[in-house]
Amino acid sequence: MKQDLSLLIQALDSSISGIILTDNQQPDNPIIYCNKAFERITGYRRHEIIGHNCRFLQKEDRNQKERLVLRKAVDDGTECVVEMRNYQKNGTLFWNELYMSPIKDERGNVCYFIGVQNDITRRKKAEQELLHQQSVMEAQIQERTRSLRESEDYLSSIVQTVRESLVVLDPGFKVLSVNDHFLKTFKVTKEETEGKLLYELGNGQWDIVQLKELLESILPTNNPVEEFEVEHDFPHIGKKLMLLNAHRIELEGQYKDRILIAIEDITDRRELERRKDDFLSIASHELKTPLTTIKGYVQVMQRLLPETVSDKFKDILRKTGVYVERLNTLISELLDMSRIQTGNIELHKETFDFDRAIHEAVENIQTATKTHQIIIRGQATNSYTGDESHIVQVINNLLSNAIKYAPESGEVQVYLSRVSNYLKVSVSDKGMGIKIEDQKKIFDRFYRVGDIQQRFPGMGIGLYVCDQIIKNHGGTLWVESEPAQGSTFSFTLPLDERKSDEQ
Ligand code: ADP
Protein backbone atom coordinates (compact mmCIF):
# COMPACT_ATOMS: atom_id res chain seq x y z
CA MET A 1 0.00 0.00 0.00
CA LYS A 2 2.81 2.37 1.01
CA GLN A 3 4.62 1.31 -2.13
CA ASP A 4 1.60 2.15 -4.22
CA LEU A 5 1.38 5.58 -2.63
CA SER A 6 5.02 6.43 -3.26
CA LEU A 7 4.64 5.28 -6.87
CA LEU A 8 1.62 7.51 -7.18
CA ILE A 9 3.51 10.49 -5.71
CA GLN A 10 6.43 9.84 -8.07
CA ALA A 11 4.03 9.76 -10.97
CA LEU A 12 2.40 13.03 -9.90
CA ASP A 13 5.83 14.67 -9.50
CA SER A 14 6.86 13.76 -13.01
CA SER A 15 3.76 15.42 -14.50
CA ILE A 16 4.37 18.71 -16.32
CA SER A 17 1.06 20.05 -15.03
CA GLY A 18 0.90 21.53 -11.57
CA ILE A 19 -1.32 19.39 -9.32
CA ILE A 20 -2.78 20.27 -5.93
CA LEU A 21 -5.24 18.73 -3.51
CA THR A 22 -7.36 20.91 -1.27
CA ASP A 23 -9.26 19.72 1.78
CA ASN A 24 -12.83 20.87 1.60
CA GLN A 25 -13.58 19.61 5.06
CA GLN A 26 -11.25 22.15 6.66
CA PRO A 27 -12.03 25.85 6.90
CA ASP A 28 -11.08 27.87 3.77
CA ASN A 29 -10.34 24.79 1.69
CA PRO A 30 -6.52 24.70 2.26
CA ILE A 31 -4.01 23.07 -0.05
CA ILE A 32 -2.85 19.78 1.43
CA TYR A 33 -0.72 18.52 -1.43
CA CYS A 34 1.22 19.99 -4.36
CA ASN A 35 3.49 18.31 -6.87
CA LYS A 36 6.87 19.51 -8.16
CA ALA A 37 5.45 21.09 -11.31
CA PHE A 38 3.20 23.29 -9.17
CA GLU A 39 6.27 24.54 -7.33
CA ARG A 40 7.99 25.19 -10.64
CA ILE A 41 5.05 27.01 -12.20
CA THR A 42 4.39 29.22 -9.18
CA GLY A 43 7.96 29.72 -7.97
CA TYR A 44 6.88 28.96 -4.38
CA ARG A 45 8.35 26.17 -2.28
CA ARG A 46 6.18 23.42 -0.85
CA HIS A 47 6.27 24.79 2.68
CA GLU A 48 5.00 28.15 1.38
CA ILE A 49 2.08 26.43 -0.32
CA ILE A 50 0.67 23.80 1.98
CA GLY A 51 -2.09 25.15 4.23
CA HIS A 52 -2.90 28.15 1.98
CA ASN A 53 -6.04 28.72 -0.02
CA CYS A 54 -5.33 28.82 -3.76
CA ARG A 55 -6.22 32.49 -3.93
CA PHE A 56 -2.70 33.50 -2.79
CA LEU A 57 -1.68 33.03 -6.41
CA GLN A 58 -3.82 35.99 -7.44
CA LYS A 59 -1.95 38.40 -5.21
CA GLU A 60 -3.66 41.82 -5.42
CA ASP A 61 -5.30 41.07 -8.78
CA ARG A 62 -8.56 39.95 -7.11
CA ASN A 63 -11.12 41.37 -9.44
CA GLN A 64 -11.24 38.47 -11.88
CA LYS A 65 -14.68 37.24 -12.77
CA GLU A 66 -13.38 33.65 -13.05
CA ARG A 67 -13.23 33.61 -9.24
CA LEU A 68 -17.03 33.51 -9.19
CA VAL A 69 -16.97 30.43 -11.41
CA LEU A 70 -14.49 28.78 -9.05
CA ARG A 71 -16.46 29.68 -5.95
CA LYS A 72 -19.67 28.36 -7.44
CA ALA A 73 -17.98 25.06 -8.38
CA VAL A 74 -16.67 24.73 -4.80
CA ASP A 75 -20.14 25.52 -3.36
CA ASP A 76 -21.92 23.18 -5.75
CA GLY A 77 -19.27 20.47 -5.61
CA THR A 78 -18.85 20.42 -9.36
CA GLU A 79 -15.88 20.54 -11.69
CA CYS A 80 -14.79 23.59 -13.68
CA VAL A 81 -12.08 24.99 -15.94
CA VAL A 82 -10.99 28.61 -15.73
CA GLU A 83 -8.19 30.72 -17.14
CA MET A 84 -6.85 33.12 -14.52
CA ARG A 85 -4.14 35.65 -14.12
CA ASN A 86 -1.82 34.31 -11.40
CA TYR A 87 1.48 35.59 -10.08
CA GLN A 88 4.67 33.76 -9.31
CA LYS A 89 6.47 34.41 -6.08
CA ASN A 90 8.69 36.98 -7.79
CA GLY A 91 5.57 38.82 -9.04
CA THR A 92 5.74 37.62 -12.69
CA LEU A 93 2.33 37.21 -14.24
CA PHE A 94 1.43 33.86 -15.68
CA TRP A 95 -1.79 32.66 -17.20
CA ASN A 96 -3.05 29.64 -15.35
CA GLU A 97 -5.46 27.24 -16.93
CA LEU A 98 -6.96 25.64 -13.84
CA TYR A 99 -8.99 22.46 -13.98
CA MET A 100 -10.74 21.76 -10.70
CA SER A 101 -12.63 18.60 -9.85
CA PRO A 102 -14.29 17.45 -6.55
CA ILE A 103 -13.45 14.16 -4.80
CA LYS A 104 -16.46 12.80 -2.96
CA ASP A 105 -16.92 10.19 -0.21
CA GLU A 106 -19.36 7.26 -0.39
CA ARG A 107 -22.20 9.51 0.75
CA GLY A 108 -21.53 11.99 -1.94
CA ASN A 109 -20.04 14.71 0.26
CA VAL A 110 -17.22 16.70 -1.29
CA CYS A 111 -14.13 16.00 0.77
CA TYR A 112 -11.33 17.20 -1.48
CA PHE A 113 -10.71 19.05 -4.68
CA ILE A 114 -8.02 18.18 -7.10
CA GLY A 115 -6.62 21.11 -9.11
CA VAL A 116 -4.58 20.66 -12.26
CA GLN A 117 -2.79 23.75 -13.51
CA ASN A 118 -1.05 24.58 -16.72
CA ASP A 119 0.96 27.70 -17.52
CA ILE A 120 -0.66 28.94 -20.72
CA THR A 121 1.06 32.32 -20.78
CA ARG A 122 2.58 31.68 -24.20
CA ARG A 123 -0.74 30.61 -25.70
CA LYS A 124 -2.47 33.56 -24.06
CA LYS A 125 0.15 35.92 -25.42
CA ALA A 126 -0.27 34.50 -28.92
CA GLU A 127 -4.05 34.82 -28.57
CA GLN A 128 -3.73 38.41 -27.43
CA GLU A 129 -1.36 39.19 -30.28
CA LEU A 130 -3.85 37.64 -32.67
CA LEU A 131 -6.62 39.74 -31.18
CA HIS A 132 -4.48 42.84 -31.44
CA GLN A 133 -3.62 41.97 -35.02
CA GLN A 134 -7.30 41.46 -35.75
CA SER A 135 -8.25 44.82 -34.31
CA VAL A 136 -5.44 46.51 -36.27
CA MET A 137 -6.71 44.84 -39.42
CA GLU A 138 -10.28 45.81 -38.68
CA ALA A 139 -9.15 49.40 -38.20
CA GLN A 140 -7.29 49.22 -41.51
CA ILE A 141 -10.33 47.79 -43.28
CA GLN A 142 -12.50 50.51 -41.80
CA GLU A 143 -10.02 53.14 -42.92
CA ARG A 144 -9.87 51.62 -46.40
CA THR A 145 -13.65 51.42 -46.65
CA ARG A 146 -13.86 55.02 -45.53
CA SER A 147 -11.31 56.19 -48.10
CA LEU A 148 -13.03 54.10 -50.79
CA ARG A 149 -16.34 55.68 -49.90
CA GLU A 150 -14.65 59.08 -49.95
CA SER A 151 -13.13 58.47 -53.39
CA GLU A 152 -16.46 57.14 -54.59
CA ASP A 153 -18.13 60.32 -53.35
CA TYR A 154 -15.32 62.30 -54.91
CA LEU A 155 -15.70 60.52 -58.24
CA SER A 156 -19.45 60.79 -58.28
CA SER A 157 -19.26 64.51 -57.49
CA ILE A 158 -16.96 64.92 -60.50
CA VAL A 159 -19.30 62.82 -62.65
CA GLN A 160 -22.23 64.93 -61.57
CA THR A 161 -20.40 68.23 -62.07
CA VAL A 162 -18.90 67.78 -65.55
CA ARG A 163 -20.66 69.61 -68.34
CA GLU A 164 -20.80 66.51 -70.49
CA SER A 165 -23.41 63.78 -70.54
CA LEU A 166 -22.00 60.53 -69.19
CA VAL A 167 -23.39 57.03 -69.60
CA VAL A 168 -21.99 53.81 -68.11
CA LEU A 169 -22.84 50.60 -69.97
CA ASP A 170 -22.48 46.96 -69.00
CA PRO A 171 -21.01 44.46 -71.51
CA GLY A 172 -24.49 43.88 -72.94
CA PHE A 173 -24.84 47.66 -73.70
CA LYS A 174 -27.42 48.07 -70.97
CA VAL A 175 -27.31 51.48 -69.25
CA LEU A 176 -26.01 51.07 -65.70
CA SER A 177 -26.03 54.76 -64.80
CA VAL A 178 -26.16 58.26 -66.25
CA ASN A 179 -25.21 61.60 -64.72
CA ASP A 180 -27.48 64.59 -64.10
CA HIS A 181 -26.18 66.40 -67.15
CA PHE A 182 -27.38 63.53 -69.35
CA LEU A 183 -30.87 63.72 -67.84
CA LYS A 184 -30.98 67.50 -68.29
CA THR A 185 -29.61 67.46 -71.84
CA PHE A 186 -31.98 64.83 -73.16
CA LYS A 187 -34.88 65.86 -70.88
CA VAL A 188 -35.42 62.30 -69.63
CA THR A 189 -35.74 60.61 -66.23
CA LYS A 190 -33.49 58.01 -64.63
CA GLU A 191 -36.32 55.47 -64.87
CA GLU A 192 -36.59 55.97 -68.63
CA THR A 193 -32.87 55.41 -69.02
CA GLU A 194 -31.18 53.14 -66.49
CA GLY A 195 -31.64 49.42 -67.06
CA LYS A 196 -32.54 49.98 -70.75
CA LEU A 197 -30.45 49.00 -73.72
CA LEU A 198 -28.51 51.94 -75.17
CA TYR A 199 -30.02 51.30 -78.58
CA GLU A 200 -33.56 51.42 -77.20
CA LEU A 201 -33.22 54.89 -75.66
CA GLY A 202 -35.40 57.73 -76.96
CA ASN A 203 -36.43 57.11 -80.54
CA GLY A 204 -33.46 54.90 -81.31
CA GLN A 205 -31.00 57.76 -81.70
CA TRP A 206 -27.96 55.60 -80.86
CA ASP A 207 -29.10 52.64 -82.94
CA ILE A 208 -26.52 53.26 -85.67
CA VAL A 209 -24.77 50.29 -87.32
CA GLN A 210 -21.37 51.97 -87.45
CA LEU A 211 -21.54 53.14 -83.83
CA LYS A 212 -22.66 49.68 -82.74
CA GLU A 213 -19.64 48.10 -84.41
CA LEU A 214 -17.27 50.56 -82.77
CA LEU A 215 -18.82 50.13 -79.32
CA GLU A 216 -18.74 46.36 -79.65
CA SER A 217 -14.99 46.39 -80.22
CA ILE A 218 -14.22 48.50 -77.13
CA LEU A 219 -14.20 45.72 -74.52
CA PRO A 220 -12.35 43.06 -76.50
CA THR A 221 -9.75 45.39 -78.02
CA ASN A 222 -9.70 48.36 -75.63
CA ASN A 223 -9.88 50.64 -78.69
CA PRO A 224 -11.80 53.76 -77.74
CA VAL A 225 -14.44 55.40 -79.90
CA GLU A 226 -13.29 58.92 -80.63
CA GLU A 227 -15.18 61.95 -81.92
CA PHE A 228 -18.13 60.05 -83.39
CA GLU A 229 -20.73 62.55 -84.61
CA VAL A 230 -24.45 61.81 -84.41
CA GLU A 231 -26.87 64.22 -86.03
CA HIS A 232 -30.41 63.30 -85.08
CA ASP A 233 -33.90 64.60 -84.38
CA PHE A 234 -34.02 63.71 -80.68
CA PRO A 235 -37.30 63.42 -78.76
CA HIS A 236 -38.01 66.49 -76.53
CA ILE A 237 -34.95 68.47 -77.72
CA GLY A 238 -35.17 68.34 -81.51
CA LYS A 239 -32.41 68.28 -84.10
CA LYS A 240 -28.97 68.26 -82.49
CA LEU A 241 -25.40 67.38 -83.31
CA MET A 242 -23.79 65.21 -80.64
CA LEU A 243 -20.14 64.22 -80.33
CA LEU A 244 -19.46 60.82 -78.75
CA ASN A 245 -16.33 59.51 -77.09
CA ALA A 246 -16.34 56.08 -75.49
CA HIS A 247 -13.75 54.21 -73.45
CA ARG A 248 -13.44 51.05 -71.44
CA ILE A 249 -13.49 52.00 -67.76
CA GLU A 250 -10.55 50.93 -65.71
CA LEU A 251 -10.29 51.92 -62.10
CA GLU A 252 -7.30 50.41 -60.26
CA GLY A 253 -7.66 47.35 -62.47
CA GLN A 254 -11.39 47.04 -61.73
CA TYR A 255 -14.56 47.49 -63.81
CA LYS A 256 -12.85 46.27 -66.96
CA ASP A 257 -16.19 45.24 -68.39
CA ARG A 258 -17.83 48.67 -68.30
CA ILE A 259 -17.98 51.26 -71.04
CA LEU A 260 -18.12 54.97 -70.38
CA ILE A 261 -19.65 57.16 -73.06
CA ALA A 262 -19.22 60.92 -72.93
CA ILE A 263 -21.67 62.87 -75.09
CA GLU A 264 -21.19 66.51 -75.94
CA ASP A 265 -23.77 68.70 -77.62
CA ILE A 266 -21.78 70.52 -80.32
CA THR A 267 -24.76 71.95 -82.23
CA ASP A 268 -24.07 75.54 -81.21
CA ARG A 269 -20.31 75.25 -81.61
CA ARG A 270 -20.67 73.86 -85.12
CA GLU A 271 -23.15 76.59 -86.01
CA LEU A 272 -20.72 79.23 -84.77
CA GLU A 273 -17.90 77.69 -86.81
CA ARG A 274 -20.14 77.68 -89.86
CA ARG A 275 -20.99 81.36 -89.38
CA LYS A 276 -17.30 82.21 -88.94
CA ASP A 277 -16.48 80.33 -92.16
CA ASP A 278 -19.32 82.12 -93.95
CA PHE A 279 -18.01 85.42 -92.72
CA LEU A 280 -14.46 84.63 -93.91
CA SER A 281 -15.77 83.55 -97.26
CA ILE A 282 -17.90 86.68 -97.75
CA ALA A 283 -15.19 88.99 -96.41
CA SER A 284 -12.51 87.56 -98.70
CA HIS A 285 -14.83 87.78 -101.72
CA GLU A 286 -15.70 91.37 -100.89
CA LEU A 287 -12.03 92.25 -100.45
CA LYS A 288 -10.91 90.46 -103.58
CA THR A 289 -13.05 92.48 -106.02
CA PRO A 290 -11.76 96.00 -105.21
CA LEU A 291 -8.25 94.63 -104.80
CA THR A 292 -8.30 93.22 -108.34
CA THR A 293 -9.28 96.68 -109.57
CA ILE A 294 -6.48 98.34 -107.55
CA LYS A 295 -3.99 95.80 -108.89
CA GLY A 296 -5.13 96.61 -112.43
CA TYR A 297 -4.78 100.40 -111.85
CA VAL A 298 -1.26 99.97 -110.41
CA GLN A 299 -0.25 97.99 -113.51
CA VAL A 300 -1.77 100.67 -115.78
CA MET A 301 0.02 103.40 -113.83
CA GLN A 302 3.33 101.53 -114.16
CA ARG A 303 2.80 101.26 -117.93
CA LEU A 304 1.75 104.89 -118.40
CA LEU A 305 4.49 106.27 -116.22
CA PRO A 306 6.05 109.32 -117.99
CA GLU A 307 9.83 109.31 -118.40
CA THR A 308 10.16 112.54 -116.45
CA VAL A 309 8.77 111.15 -113.20
CA SER A 310 11.15 111.06 -110.22
CA ASP A 311 12.89 107.86 -109.05
CA LYS A 312 11.18 108.25 -105.70
CA PHE A 313 7.78 108.16 -107.36
CA LYS A 314 8.82 105.07 -109.38
CA ASP A 315 9.99 103.36 -106.23
CA ILE A 316 6.74 104.15 -104.40
CA LEU A 317 4.75 102.73 -107.30
CA ARG A 318 6.88 99.56 -107.37
CA LYS A 319 6.43 99.06 -103.62
CA THR A 320 2.68 99.63 -104.00
CA GLY A 321 2.68 96.85 -106.58
CA VAL A 322 4.59 94.51 -104.21
CA TYR A 323 2.20 95.16 -101.28
CA VAL A 324 -0.88 94.83 -103.45
CA GLU A 325 0.48 91.47 -104.63
CA ARG A 326 1.11 90.34 -101.03
CA LEU A 327 -2.43 91.35 -100.08
CA ASN A 328 -3.70 89.50 -103.12
CA THR A 329 -1.90 86.31 -102.05
CA LEU A 330 -3.29 86.53 -98.51
CA ILE A 331 -6.84 87.05 -99.74
CA SER A 332 -6.45 84.21 -102.23
CA GLU A 333 -5.37 81.93 -99.38
CA LEU A 334 -8.46 82.93 -97.39
CA LEU A 335 -10.65 82.29 -100.41
CA ASP A 336 -9.05 78.90 -101.05
CA MET A 337 -9.59 77.94 -97.47
CA SER A 338 -13.24 78.90 -97.39
CA ARG A 339 -13.79 77.10 -100.69
CA ILE A 340 -12.28 73.97 -99.16
CA GLN A 341 -14.42 74.40 -96.04
CA THR A 342 -17.59 74.66 -98.04
CA GLY A 343 -16.53 71.88 -100.41
CA ASN A 344 -16.52 74.28 -103.33
CA ILE A 345 -13.04 73.61 -104.56
CA GLU A 346 -13.06 72.81 -108.24
CA LEU A 347 -10.40 70.68 -109.86
CA HIS A 348 -9.54 71.34 -113.49
CA LYS A 349 -7.71 68.21 -114.41
CA GLU A 350 -5.56 68.16 -117.49
CA THR A 351 -2.53 66.23 -118.58
CA PHE A 352 0.60 68.38 -118.36
CA ASP A 353 4.38 68.09 -118.19
CA PHE A 354 4.86 67.87 -114.40
CA ASP A 355 8.64 68.39 -114.32
CA ARG A 356 8.43 71.41 -116.61
CA ALA A 357 5.70 72.96 -114.40
CA ILE A 358 7.88 72.51 -111.31
CA HIS A 359 10.95 73.96 -113.07
CA GLU A 360 8.93 77.01 -114.18
CA ALA A 361 7.51 77.54 -110.69
CA VAL A 362 11.02 77.33 -109.22
CA GLU A 363 12.36 79.81 -111.81
CA ASN A 364 9.58 82.29 -110.98
CA ILE A 365 10.35 82.15 -107.31
CA GLN A 366 14.08 82.29 -107.96
CA THR A 367 13.73 85.57 -109.90
CA ALA A 368 11.90 87.10 -106.97
CA THR A 369 14.38 86.00 -104.32
CA LYS A 370 17.91 87.26 -103.95
CA THR A 371 18.66 85.61 -100.62
CA HIS A 372 18.33 81.91 -101.48
CA GLN A 373 19.40 79.64 -104.24
CA ILE A 374 16.93 76.97 -105.24
CA ILE A 375 18.45 73.79 -106.61
CA ILE A 376 16.38 71.22 -108.47
CA ARG A 377 17.49 67.59 -108.82
CA GLY A 378 15.96 64.45 -110.29
CA GLN A 379 13.00 63.76 -112.50
CA ALA A 380 9.41 62.75 -111.82
CA THR A 381 7.33 62.66 -114.98
CA ASN A 382 6.58 64.65 -118.12
CA SER A 383 2.97 63.51 -118.16
CA TYR A 384 0.74 63.92 -115.17
CA THR A 385 -3.03 64.39 -115.06
CA GLY A 386 -4.18 66.83 -112.42
CA ASP A 387 -4.92 70.46 -111.67
CA GLU A 388 -1.71 72.21 -112.73
CA SER A 389 -2.44 75.55 -111.07
CA HIS A 390 -3.21 73.81 -107.75
CA ILE A 391 -0.03 71.73 -107.90
CA VAL A 392 1.99 74.86 -108.70
CA GLN A 393 0.30 76.55 -105.75
CA VAL A 394 1.55 73.73 -103.49
CA ILE A 395 5.14 73.97 -104.74
CA ASN A 396 5.04 77.79 -104.44
CA ASN A 397 3.82 77.50 -100.88
CA LEU A 398 6.44 74.95 -99.85
CA LEU A 399 9.20 77.02 -101.48
CA SER A 400 8.14 80.29 -99.94
CA ASN A 401 7.93 78.61 -96.50
CA ALA A 402 11.39 77.09 -97.02
CA ILE A 403 12.74 80.55 -97.77
CA LYS A 404 10.72 82.30 -95.05
CA TYR A 405 11.57 79.89 -92.21
CA ALA A 406 15.25 79.48 -93.15
CA PRO A 407 16.38 83.11 -93.36
CA GLU A 408 20.02 82.36 -92.54
CA SER A 409 20.64 79.34 -94.74
CA GLY A 410 20.78 80.51 -98.38
CA GLU A 411 19.89 77.22 -100.07
CA VAL A 412 16.71 75.29 -100.78
CA GLN A 413 16.65 71.93 -102.53
CA VAL A 414 13.86 70.46 -104.62
CA TYR A 415 14.06 66.78 -105.40
CA LEU A 416 11.87 65.08 -108.01
CA SER A 417 11.56 61.31 -108.19
CA ARG A 418 9.35 58.33 -108.95
CA VAL A 419 8.53 55.76 -106.33
CA SER A 420 6.59 52.78 -107.65
CA ASN A 421 3.54 54.25 -109.40
CA TYR A 422 3.83 57.53 -107.53
CA LEU A 423 5.72 60.69 -108.23
CA LYS A 424 7.42 62.31 -105.29
CA VAL A 425 8.48 65.90 -104.67
CA SER A 426 10.57 66.96 -101.67
CA VAL A 427 11.44 70.51 -100.66
CA SER A 428 14.27 70.73 -98.11
CA ASP A 429 15.59 73.67 -96.19
CA LYS A 430 18.26 74.06 -93.54
CA GLY A 431 16.22 76.41 -91.42
CA MET A 432 14.75 76.51 -87.96
CA GLY A 433 12.96 73.14 -88.21
CA ILE A 434 9.76 72.09 -86.43
CA LYS A 435 9.36 70.36 -83.08
CA ILE A 436 7.82 66.89 -83.26
CA GLU A 437 4.69 67.95 -81.31
CA ASP A 438 4.04 70.72 -83.86
CA GLN A 439 4.63 68.59 -86.94
CA LYS A 440 1.08 67.18 -87.09
CA LYS A 441 -0.61 70.46 -86.17
CA ILE A 442 0.95 72.67 -88.84
CA PHE A 443 -1.43 71.15 -91.39
CA ASP A 444 -4.42 72.42 -89.36
CA ARG A 445 -6.14 75.67 -90.25
CA PHE A 446 -4.63 78.78 -88.60
CA TYR A 447 -1.93 76.79 -86.80
CA ARG A 448 1.36 78.58 -86.52
CA VAL A 449 4.24 77.44 -84.32
CA GLY A 450 4.06 79.60 -81.19
CA ASP A 451 7.39 81.43 -81.16
CA ILE A 452 7.42 82.54 -84.81
CA GLN A 453 4.13 84.46 -84.75
CA GLN A 454 5.70 87.88 -84.44
CA ARG A 455 8.83 87.37 -86.54
CA PHE A 456 7.30 86.08 -89.78
CA PRO A 457 4.14 87.23 -91.51
CA GLY A 458 1.48 84.61 -92.27
CA MET A 459 -1.93 83.30 -91.34
CA GLY A 460 -1.28 79.57 -90.90
CA ILE A 461 -3.43 78.63 -93.88
CA GLY A 462 -0.91 77.70 -96.60
CA LEU A 463 -0.09 74.14 -95.46
CA TYR A 464 -3.74 73.40 -94.77
CA VAL A 465 -4.60 74.33 -98.35
CA CYS A 466 -1.60 72.35 -99.71
CA ASP A 467 -2.64 69.28 -97.73
CA GLN A 468 -6.19 69.50 -99.08
CA ILE A 469 -4.98 69.94 -102.67
CA ILE A 470 -2.69 66.90 -102.42
CA LYS A 471 -5.48 64.87 -100.82
CA ASN A 472 -7.84 65.91 -103.61
CA HIS A 473 -5.34 64.39 -106.01
CA GLY A 474 -5.20 61.13 -104.04
CA GLY A 475 -1.75 61.84 -102.60
CA THR A 476 -0.17 62.55 -99.21
CA LEU A 477 1.82 65.47 -97.85
CA TRP A 478 4.08 65.16 -94.82
CA VAL A 479 7.02 66.70 -93.07
CA GLU A 480 10.23 65.39 -91.60
CA SER A 481 12.07 67.88 -89.49
CA GLU A 482 14.38 68.50 -86.60
CA PRO A 483 14.57 71.78 -84.73
CA ALA A 484 17.56 73.89 -85.80
CA GLN A 485 18.48 71.36 -88.52
CA GLY A 486 15.84 72.09 -91.14
CA SER A 487 12.68 70.62 -92.63
CA THR A 488 11.78 68.47 -95.61
CA PHE A 489 8.23 68.67 -96.89
CA SER A 490 7.36 65.88 -99.30
CA PHE A 491 4.30 64.87 -101.24
CA THR A 492 3.46 61.91 -103.40
CA LEU A 493 0.84 61.76 -106.15
CA PRO A 494 -0.46 58.60 -107.80
CA LEU A 495 0.58 58.45 -111.45
CA ASP A 496 -1.96 55.97 -112.63
CA GLU A 497 -5.28 56.88 -111.07
CA ARG A 498 -6.98 53.68 -112.13
CA LYS A 499 -4.38 51.61 -110.29
CA SER A 500 -4.36 53.74 -107.17
CA ASP A 501 -8.15 53.67 -106.93
CA GLU A 502 -8.01 49.90 -106.84
CA GLN A 503 -5.58 49.91 -103.89
P1 ADP B 1 2.13 80.47 -92.51
O1 ADP B 1 3.45 80.28 -93.14
O2 ADP B 1 1.29 81.51 -93.16
O3 ADP B 1 2.20 80.66 -91.03
P2 ADP B 1 1.60 77.69 -93.21
O4 ADP B 1 0.34 76.91 -93.12
O5 ADP B 1 2.29 77.69 -94.52
O6 ADP B 1 1.27 79.13 -92.69
O7 ADP B 1 2.58 77.08 -92.14
C1 ADP B 1 2.13 76.80 -90.84
C2 ADP B 1 3.26 76.86 -89.85
O8 ADP B 1 4.17 75.78 -90.09
C3 ADP B 1 4.12 78.08 -89.98
O9 ADP B 1 3.57 79.17 -89.23
C4 ADP B 1 5.44 77.61 -89.39
O10 ADP B 1 5.35 77.67 -87.99
C5 ADP B 1 5.51 76.16 -89.79
N1 ADP B 1 6.33 75.95 -91.00
C6 ADP B 1 5.88 75.79 -92.26
N2 ADP B 1 6.92 75.57 -93.11
C7 ADP B 1 8.03 75.55 -92.35
C8 ADP B 1 9.44 75.35 -92.63
N3 ADP B 1 9.89 75.13 -93.88
N4 ADP B 1 10.30 75.40 -91.58
C9 ADP B 1 9.86 75.63 -90.33
N5 ADP B 1 8.56 75.84 -90.02
C10 ADP B 1 7.66 75.79 -91.00
Side-chain angles (χ1 to χ4, degrees), residues 135-353:
S135 70
V136 168
M137 254 164 72
E138 261 167 39
Q140 279 175 345
I141 289 170
Q142 269 178 8
E143 170 58 23
R144 183 107 182 93
T145 321
R146 193 184 56 79
S147 77
L148 265 176
R149 204 172 300 130
E150 265 179 15
S151 48
E152 227 176 271
D153 290 350
Y154 174 69
L155 274 181
S156 81
S157 69
I158 293 176
V159 165
Q160 294 305 342
T161 320
V162 288
R163 290 183 50 77
E164 247 178 275
S165 301
L166 299 177
V167 186
V168 178
L169 300 178
D170 75 1
F173 304 99
K174 202 181 268 174
V175 178
L176 289 174
S177 61
V178 291
N179 67 346
D180 284 350
H181 198 268
F182 180 95
L183 302 176
K184 270 190 223 139
T185 305
F186 294 98
K187 295 200 169 60
V188 286
T189 62
K190 254 190 179 357
E191 292 68 40
E192 287 172 280
T193 316
E194 292 180 350
K196 297 261 166 59
L197 271 180
L198 175 76
Y199 309 120
E200 285 171 357
L201 295 184
N203 54 9
Q205 58 257 32
W206 314 119
D207 193 2
I208 303 165
V209 180
Q210 209 196 342
L211 178 64
K212 240 181 197 169
E213 277 170 12
L214 289 171
L215 287 177
E216 270 163 19
S217 79
I218 288 185
L219 290 182
T221 64
N222 203 11
N223 280 343
V225 176
E226 279 170 343
E227 317 266 288
F228 188 90
E229 289 187 11
V230 175
E231 194 165 17
H232 188 85
D233 198 352
F234 292 86
H236 317 299
I237 57 171
K239 205 160 176 199
K240 295 275 172 195
L241 181 62
M242 299 288 176
L243 191 71
L244 262 74
N245 279 287
H247 288 259
R248 185 168 87 174
I249 304 182
E250 221 166 291
L251 210 64
E252 292 181 357
Q254 279 194 312
Y255 307 120
K256 278 192 178 151
D257 55 352
R258 310 269 163 88
I259 297 170
L260 175 71
I261 307 185
I263 305 168
E264 198 186 344
D265 182 350
I266 55 162
T267 322
D268 293 345
R269 199 210 301 166
R270 193 48 64 80
E271 171 60 17
L272 215 67
E273 276 169 16
R274 199 188 53 74
R275 265 191 264 160
K276 192 187 72 200
D277 287 340
D278 285 355
F279 166 77
L280 274 178
S281 154
I282 294 165
S284 43
H285 266 291
E286 293 299 315
L287 290 171
K288 183 91 181 171
T289 324
L291 192 69
T292 315
T293 318
I294 296 172
K295 198 176 152 185
Y297 283 147
V298 171
Q299 281 165 354
V300 172
M301 273 161 78
Q302 275 168 340
R303 260 206 318 275
L304 301 181
L305 213 56
E307 284 298 315
T308 51
V309 94
S310 71
D311 283 350
K312 190 160 185 202
F313 190 91
K314 279 188 202 155
D315 195 41
I316 288 172
L317 201 57
R318 189 189 57 79
K319 279 188 182 145
T320 311
V322 170
Y323 284 110
V324 166
E325 194 44 48
R326 194 178 286 175
L327 202 55
N328 195 35
T329 315
L330 288 176
I331 291 173
S332 301
E333 274 192 351
L334 274 177
L335 264 175
D336 283 341
M337 187 203 65
S338 54
R339 280 198 202 110
I340 291 168
Q341 282 308 110
T342 49
N344 281 339
I345 196 136
E346 277 177 43
L347 286 186
H348 301 287
K349 288 196 175 180
E350 269 167 0
T351 303
F352 63 96
D353 183 341

Side-chain angles (χ1 to χ4, degrees), residues 453-468:
Q453 302 271 5
Q454 274 84 31
R455 286 194 288 149
F456 304 92
M459 292 192 293
I461 295 174
L463 286 177
Y464 168 76
V465 173
C466 293
D467 190 39
Q468 296 298 319

Side-chain angles (χ1 to χ4, degrees), residues 43-58:
Y44 288 98
R45 300 303 315 273
R46 195 167 175 275
H47 67 269
E48 295 166 305
I49 299 166
I50 304 296
H52 287 261
N53 181 287
C54 286
R55 82 176 71 86
F56 78 95
L57 289 174
Q58 293 161 27

Side-chain angles (χ1 to χ4, degrees), residues 437-449:
E437 60 264 35
D438 287 318
Q439 288 180 16
K440 273 253 147 54
K441 299 184 196 157
I442 54 173
F443 298 100
D444 290 345
R445 287 198 292 164
F446 307 123
Y447 191 85
R448 308 196 72 213
V449 176

Side-chain angles (χ1 to χ4, degrees), residues 333 397-398 401-406 429 431-434 442 444 447-450 452 457-464 481 486-487 489:
E333 274 192 351
N397 232 310
L398 297 182
N401 277 351
I403 292 166
K404 183 160 63 167
Y405 298 113
D429 64 62
M432 61 179 63
I434 304 159
I442 54 173
D444 290 345
Y447 191 85
R448 308 196 72 213
V449 176
I452 56 115
M459 292 192 293
I461 295 174
L463 286 177
Y464 168 76
S481 179
S487 312
F489 285 83

